């Protein structure tokens, strides 16, 4: 495996956003509900008010799409999240970012997922130019 990328310009240029399969929803649950959610949860975060989970969306929920930034970004890298959120904010696209050990994952409204990927690819191309 390559070393993580920490340089801001290199992270942005190499982000290579990819739309992942699945429809996701953020929910808040109780500790008692965790056992039922855990097998299908993509992420769990313990907050003071309860557990936040990212689980498959139900048909009646507004779904989020997962866009994975393919660059192996350093956890100490600075600027990738800011660049991504700025591009999406300018287009009026909400985003929720989860930074994992190897990649950053951006969750956007499902209806605007293709647009979000196109905007992020264009931003990466500007960094290379």
């Amino acid at each position: 495996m390559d070393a993580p990328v920490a340089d801001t310009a290199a992270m942005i240029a190499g982000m290579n956003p990819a739309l992942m399969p699945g429809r996701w929803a953020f929910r808040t649950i109780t500790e008692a509900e965790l056992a039922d959610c855990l097998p299908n949860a993509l992420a769990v975060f313990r907050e003071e008010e309860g557990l936040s989970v990212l689980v498959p969306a139900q048909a009646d929920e507004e779904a989020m799409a997962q866009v994975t930034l393919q660059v192996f970004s350093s956890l100490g890298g600075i600027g990738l999240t800011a660049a991504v959120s700025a591009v999406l904010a300018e287009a009026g696209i909400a985003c929720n970012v989860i930074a994992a050990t190897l990649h950053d994952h951006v969750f956007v409204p499902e209806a605007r997922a293709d647009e979000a990927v196109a905007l992020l690819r264009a931003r990466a191309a500007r960094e290379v130019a």
Side-chain angles (χ1 to χ4, degrees):
M1 175 174 285
D2 294 330
V5 178
D7 177 73
T8 302
M11 284 189 298
I12 295 168
M15 71 172 127
N16 189 21
L19 185 59
M20 307 305 283
R23 303 174 69 247
W24 301 99
F26 287 88
R27 294 191 198 134
T28 301
I29 63 169
T30 65
E31 291 281 346
E33 296 169 306
L34 181 59
D36 290 336
C37 286
L38 201 52
N40 297 314
L42 187 60
V44 177
F45 196 89
R46 190 174 310 278
E47 297 184 285
E48 186 175 314
E49 300 84 1
L51 294 170
S52 289
V53 294
L54 182 57
V55 294
Q58 302 293 323
D60 62 341
E61 287 182 294
E62 184 175 334
M64 304 292 279
Q66 177 184 350
V67 177
T68 295
L69 307 180
Q70 299 295 308
V71 65
F72 178 13
S73 57
S74 168
L75 290 173
I78 297 169
L80 179 60
T81 301
V84 167
S85 62
V87 166
L88 297 177
E90 186 175 304
I93 300 174
C95 71
N96 293 276
V97 180
I98 296 177
T101 305
L102 303 178
H103 302 287
D104 294 274
H105 308 274
V106 183
F107 293 85
V108 299
E110 183 180 41
R112 300 197 65 191
D114 290 332
E115 179 184 3
V117 170
L119 289 166
L120 294 175
R121 288 182 180 159
R123 177 62 181 94
R126 284 196 313 271
E127 198 65 38
V128 174

